Amino acid sequence: MKFRAEMRIRGIVQGVGFRPFVYNLAMEHGLFGYVLNNSSGVLIDVEGGKPLVDEFILRVRTRPPPLAVIFDMQVRELEPAGYEEFTIKASDGDEEKFVPISPEIATCPDCLEEIFDPSDRRHRYPFTNCTNCGPRFTIVKDIPYDRKFTTMDPFEMCPQCRAEYENPMDRRFHAQPNACPACGPRLSLFHRNGAPVRVPDVLAESCRLLKEGAILAVKGLGGYHLACDALNEEAVTLLRSRKYREYKPFAVMVRDVDAARRICEVGEEEEKLLTGIQRPIVLLRKRPDCPTAGNVSPNQKFHGLMLPYTPLHHLLVRESGLVLVMTSGNLSSEPIVYKDDDSMEVLKGIADYYLLHDREIHIRTDDSVCRVWRGQGTMLRRSRGYVPFPLLMPFSFRERILSCGAELKNAFSLTRGNFVFMSHHIGDLENLETFTSFEEGIRHFKRIFNIEPTAVAYDLHPEYLSTKYAHSLDGIRKIGVQHHHAHIVSCMGDNGIGGEIIGVSFDGTGYGTDGKIWGGEFLVCDEKGFRRAAHFEYFPLPGGEKAIKQPWRIAAALLDGIYGDGMFDLGIDFVKDIDRGKWAVIRKMIERGLNSPLTSSAGRLFDAVSALLGIRKEIHYEGQAAIELEMAALEDAGSYPFRLRGEGDGYAIVLEPLIREMIADLQKGTACGILSARFHNTMTEIVLHVCRKIREESGLDRVALSGGVFQNTLLLERAHDLLRKDGLSVFIHHRVPPNDGGIALGQSIIAEALIAAGQ
């Protein structure tokens, strides 16, 4: 007797070869019925002998296509329909639209083989793709994921491509970006003055220009890169001067893992990240004989390195034979350029030539950045290759919540069911261009996931553009969330845990409930609320934003608070270099409370110590002083004293003992690397001591570490090990960044908890 089953599947199941997989599996089992894409995912109606149908269902559930991810599968028995064949039906868009969309997928081995096969019709074709690879998120305009709703719609397939597209046995069956040299997108080359460069082989000419030291603006998947020869010191120096990026490291692209090993140390897990389908930038320790120009990543022990992830990248690195700088195509502080007209305008003072193509990028998406920590990948910037893959929560959201994130490293999120859709990296909301990108991104996510939020969560800082955006929304529930509370709950959500926990949140800036700038916080919290159990004692930021960019001001203020005028008698290099007239003016600002906000920020403390040690007194990019302080640290070398002072129902961490002992070391001429190591050790001992004290008082034995300061691996490793050794369970970030790029996740979970509690 025939048995009929209907299967409704939700997940990443469109654009990943799911329907041809189902079709071929049905053929293999001699089953009849149909499969189609709908606006919820995939619908399968299958009929045949019950044992064969049962085996078919099991295979679909347990062994789907490699790029597919099944979130849930509902199966129900139906009356037999008497099907006589198995077919792939056209997409059904009648239901409520909601389909998770696949991220961009790096070029697969089959397509790569075709690109470099002289006998193949796609030989050297820079836009080769199939169901198993290619653009997804950046070309999608609407759902369902059909060609007419992507930026490939203007390119009508030639007969050969159409035959592939319509053949369920072909790996290009319904590959929406399918194309070839006869019918697909094409490359073009332009001079910086906008004039077309007419050459018979655009790719070969581009490679020649790179080898001659030119800077090329290269249109990629989610925006423009600026590329040059990473071994050419002159070219890299020119790129830095034109981009106004004096010190911040450039990302590097190499041909393959073997090439990566000639530059950096590559372990087993690093290799998996480098060669995986996401192809993020991976932070790797430089080899002692690293051949890249010294100014690719100045004052750093690491390179941000990635392998090619599009056919165009593969062709450029192979045919040029170069190690390429491949950095975001933008001006400092602005979002990555992704529109052709904008590229000609914004990058005209940087690039010598433009390597363009005529496939539109619908949504800009920067490269993702990660590192391996203790054998596991940890995200520092979640974007291309990972977005818009949702984070699955162990609970379902009662409302559809838009979380606006923070000001720096902004990423927003939207919730639906038990999914959190974290956005791509937006950037720092400090200018109109980035804020416009933020608004565009929200509109795009709302459209492609059919989510109209009923609540919005935002940071408490009244001047954040993301906060102002939230307040501008009408007819929607608004929920303010404290910055560091969101950091800790983000870490909890990242690890799928709930309940009360000790949270250590170290970062640069976060608006506190007392109106001051927090950033060195120990919280006792759960998803609904928190208690501030301890924090670093407040110190001034003379000049506000200026103090962040000139951390010598913070260091001087710390010394002034301890020694007063006597700081100029300390005899250390730091005070000898201070302009006393300038300092007198700044000191008056502090005394009068003019533009000298108080902060408890651990990030600013790292900056101040970097300045005090003569490592970095002024910064050129966010985090530079602290990063270079970490890079300077030598082996384990003791620590400095500190003490706690009772304050309300918690404690303030007093910095004076630490500063005094550090000054004594400087007076003795102790090496900078030892001082850095001792400071790092002190910070980890503070973490242990305070968490231990909170455990004694609260009985809690779980600790979450979050905030941008915990991107410092030296701090993270030592704090993690000390806490674990003391019997505490420690949770850190992996799926979302510990910095502000992950904060929207925490905002979402807190908003849900408050809604559920009727608050």
Side-chain angles (χ1 to χ4, degrees):
M1 291 183 64
K2 283 191 175 182
F3 178 80
R4 180 184 172 205
E6 179 191 79
M7 303 161 63
R8 292 179 177 270
I9 302 171
R10 289 194 312 145
I12 306 293
V13 289
Q14 293 190 15
V16 292
F18 205 92
R19 288 177 300 168
F21 157 76
V22 169
Y23 174 86
N24 288 307
L25 190 62
M27 294 293 100
E28 180 185 323
H29 286 70
L31 301 175
F32 306 109
Y34 64 86
V35 59
L36 60 80
N37 281 347
N38 61 23
S39 293
S40 298
V42 166
L43 173 68
I44 304 169
D45 192 337
V46 63
E47 186 174 279
K50 189 173 189 309
L52 291 173
V53 172
D54 287 343
E55 185 180 337
F56 172 88
I57 293 170
L58 182 66
R59 283 277 299 275
V60 172
R61 190 189 302 275
T62 59
R63 292 162 59 189
L67 300 180
V69 181
I70 295 175
F71 298 151
D72 64 69
M73 187 168 96
Q74 298 176 358
V75 181
R76 64 172 181 146
E77 183 181 350
L78 300 174
E79 286 294 317
Y83 295 124
E84 296 181 350
E85 61 179 347
F86 195 91
T87 60
I88 298 176
K89 288 190 175 183
S91 297
D92 170 16
D94 292 340
E95 300 180 29
E96 183 188 14
K97 295 180 180 180
F98 175 59
V99 182
I101 293 168
S102 168
E104 319 307 311
I105 300 165
T107 308
C108 71
D110 290 330
C111 284
L112 204 56
E113 185 177 341
E114 292 174 345
I115 294 162
F116 293 106
D117 179 358
S119 66
D120 194 280
R121 73 189 187 95
R122 289 186 172 89
H123 178 231
R124 295 181 78 240
Y125 184 55
F127 307 98
T128 301
N129 67 86
C130 69
T131 308
N132 300 320
C133 67
R136 299 288 196 276
F137 173 62
T138 55
I139 64 170
V140 172
K141 292 183 174 181
D142 207 342
I143 55 170
Y145 177 58
D146 285 336
R147 192 177 180 106
K148 64 183 177 181
F149 297 127
T150 74
T151 60
M152 284 298 295
D153 185 43
F155 301 95
E156 185 175 347
M157 282 181 275
C158 67
Q160 284 179 283
C161 286
R162 173 60 63 181
E164 294 169 335
Y165 183 84
E166 294 176 351
N167 180 4
M169 308 298 287
D170 195 287
R171 78 174 201 278
R172 291 191 167 91
F173 176 75
H174 281 211
Q176 306 306 338
N178 188 33
C180 74
C183 63
R186 299 187 180 189
L187 291 177
S188 55
L189 187 65
F190 288 81
H191 191 270
R192 66 188 303 177
N193 63 13
V197 178
R198 305 192 188 282
V199 289
D201 192 329
V202 167
L203 191 62
E205 179 66 9
S206 299
C207 292
R208 185 188 69 79
L209 291 168
L210 286 167
K211 286 190 279 189
E212 288 188 354
I215 298 167
L216 262 65
V218 180
K219 185 179 180 182
L221 268 183
Y224 280 76
H225 283 115
L226 290 164
C228 71
D229 181 358
L231 274 61
N232 185 330
E233 190 105 25
E234 187 178 336
V236 177
T237 300
L238 187 61
L239 175 56
R240 284 204 175 279
S241 65
R242 288 180 180 177
K243 200 180 178 187
Y244 302 109
R245 186 165 164 172
E246 296 95 329
Y247 291 95
K248 192 174 183 180
F250 287 142
V252 172
M253 181 177 282
V254 297
R255 170 177 171 163
D256 51 29
V257 173
D258 288 339
R261 287 199 173 97
R262 289 192 285 272
I263 295 172
C264 296
E265 297 171 7
V266 182
E268 184 179 341
E269 292 303 318
E270 281 95 349
E271 181 175 348
K272 286 180 184 176
L273 278 174
L274 285 170
T275 59
I277 60 172
Q278 294 91 358
R279 295 289 168 99
I281 297 170
V282 183
L283 297 188
L284 301 170
R285 186 173 290 274
K286 296 180 192 175
R287 287 174 55 94
D289 57 349
C290 178
T292 56
N295 55 352
V296 171
S297 56
N299 304 322
Q300 300 286 315
K301 294 177 182 176
F302 295 85
H303 266 319
L305 189 143
M306 59 180 157
L307 300 190
Y309 54 86
T310 71
L312 177 57
H313 291 131
H314 280 285
L315 289 161
L316 281 174
V317 293
R318 287 208 193 185
E319 295 195 7
S320 71
L322 299 175
V323 173
L324 292 175
V325 163
M326 197 67 75
T327 189
S328 298
N330 60 351
L331 291 175
S332 181
S333 82
E334 291 187 3
I336 186 171
V337 174
Y338 73 110
K339 293 181 178 177
D340 296 342
D341 291 344
D342 290 345
S343 74
M344 291 288 191
E345 181 62 31
V346 175
L347 305 178
K348 66 181 179 183
I350 305 175
D352 296 310
Y353 295 89
Y354 298 83
L355 178 56
L356 310 182
H357 60 74
D358 52 355
R359 184 182 68 208
E360 179 192 351
I361 299 170
H362 185 65
I363 194 79
R364 75 178 100 217
T365 312
D366 251 314
D367 294 315
S368 295
V369 182
C370 60
R371 73 180 344 144
V372 171
W373 188 80
R374 300 285 172 86
Q376 189 172 354
T378 59
M379 196 64 60
L380 300 179
R381 184 169 80 194
R382 188 177 184 270
S383 205
R384 178 199 45 80
Y386 297 89
V387 172
F389 193 90
L391 301 173
L392 272 67
M393 295 292 108
F395 59 87
S396 186
F397 287 88
R398 289 166 176 76
E399 297 199 29
R400 297 177 183 182
I401 302 167
L402 165 64
S403 294
C404 294
E407 187 85 342
L408 302 180
K409 296 181 173 63
N410 179 271
F412 62 85
S413 70
L414 283 164
T415 69
R416 178 169 179 153
N418 61 338
F419 301 139
V420 178
F421 292 93
M422 292 288 294
S423 82
H424 49 299
H425 170 76
I426 303 295
D428 298 346
L429 299 183
E430 297 179 326
N431 52 53
L432 178 61
E433 292 80 7
T434 315
F435 183 67
T436 300
S437 181
F438 169 78
E439 292 182 304
E440 288 172 348
I442 291 173
R443 285 195 295 270
H444 186 58
F445 267 62
K446 285 166 63 176
R447 181 171 58 253
I448 64 173
F449 298 123
N450 193 31
I451 297 174
E452 191 56 48
T454 55
V456 59
Y458 59 89
D459 194 278
L460 293 180
H461 198 301
E463 293 305 313
Y464 280 1
L465 291 179
S466 56
T467 299
K468 291 181 176 181
Y469 174 85
H471 283 300
S472 74
L473 301 177
D474 294 326
I476 186 170
R477 188 196 307 250
K478 300 179 176 69
I479 302 167
V481 179
Q482 201 280 323
H483 189 92
H484 301 95
H485 185 204
H487 266 309
I488 300 305
V489 177
S490 171
C491 185
M492 292 166 66
D494 197 338
N495 288 277
I497 62 171
E500 202 169 35
I501 198 166
I502 301 169
V504 184
S505 183
F506 285 0
D507 64 1
T509 300
Y511 193 78
T513 54
D514 59 0
K516 296 184 175 68
I517 299 170
W518 292 7
E521 310 306 314
F522 293 81
L523 309 179
V524 172
C525 67
D526 60 14
E527 298 90 334
K528 296 191 295 293
F530 71 93
R531 173 176 70 84
R532 193 186 193 196
H535 63 89
F536 287 102
E537 66 177 352
Y538 288 120
F539 52 91
L541 296 176
E545 286 294 319
K546 264 195 173 179
I548 296 171
K549 294 177 180 176
Q550 298 176 358
W552 70 266
R553 292 168 173 252
I554 309 171
L558 285 168
L559 293 184
D560 182 74
I562 297 170
Y563 300 99
D565 290 335
M567 77 176 190
F568 289 104
D569 300 324
L570 294 174
I572 59 174
D573 289 342
F574 174 78
V575 294
K576 291 176 184 176
D577 293 339
I578 294 176
D579 181 325
R580 294 203 185 195
K582 189 173 186 178
W583 173 247
V585 175
I586 293 172
R587 192 182 187 196
K588 283 182 180 177
M589 287 172 52
I590 298 171
E591 290 171 349
R592 296 173 182 174
L594 298 175
N595 195 24
S596 297
L598 295 176
T599 186
S600 60
S601 168
R604 300 290 85 87
L605 182 58
F606 272 83
D607 292 349
V609 171
S610 183
L612 195 58
L613 271 53
I615 294 171
R616 178 60 54 188
K617 295 181 180 179
E618 297 193 10
I619 67 165
H620 299 269
Y621 63 89
E622 196 221 348
Q624 182 183 9
I627 290 168
E628 293 183 5
L629 177 66
E630 179 191 359
M631 295 299 107
L634 298 175
E635 293 302 313
D636 197 31
S639 61
Y640 295 118
F642 60 90
R643 62 184 173 86
L644 302 185
R645 181 184 70 238
E647 188 174 276
D649 60 351
Y651 303 92
I653 301 152
V654 180
L655 300 173
E656 181 174 343
L658 185 162
I659 301 296
R660 284 188 179 276
E661 286 297 314
M662 185 177 290
I663 294 300
D665 269 351
L666 283 168
Q667 289 170 332
K668 286 185 279 191
T670 307
C672 173
I674 293 175
L675 270 68
S676 174
R678 288 177 180 171
F679 172 71
H680 279 84
N681 289 343
T682 306
M683 294 296 283
T684 60
E685 288 177 9
I686 288 171
V687 170
L688 172 64
H689 182 77
V690 176
C691 288
R692 184 187 283 163
K693 201 163 188 64
I694 296 172
R695 177 178 59 186
E696 291 169 358
E697 296 173 356
S698 67
L700 298 173
D701 62 357
R702 298 184 302 163
V703 179
L705 305 177
S706 188
V709 172
F710 283 108
Q711 292 175 138
N712 181 320
T713 54
L714 183 58
L715 175 74
L716 179 63
E717 286 175 358
R718 294 182 180 178
H720 178 274
D721 291 349
L722 282 177
L723 292 166
R724 288 286 300 275
K725 190 176 179 181
D726 204 56
L728 289 154
S729 298
V730 185
F731 298 91
I732 67 168
H733 287 269
H734 289 290
R735 295 187 294 168
V736 299
N739 58 48
D740 285 3
I743 213 164
L745 174 60
Q747 291 175 340
S748 298
I749 297 170
I750 292 167
E752 161 62 23
L754 292 174
I755 290 168
Q759 298 178 30

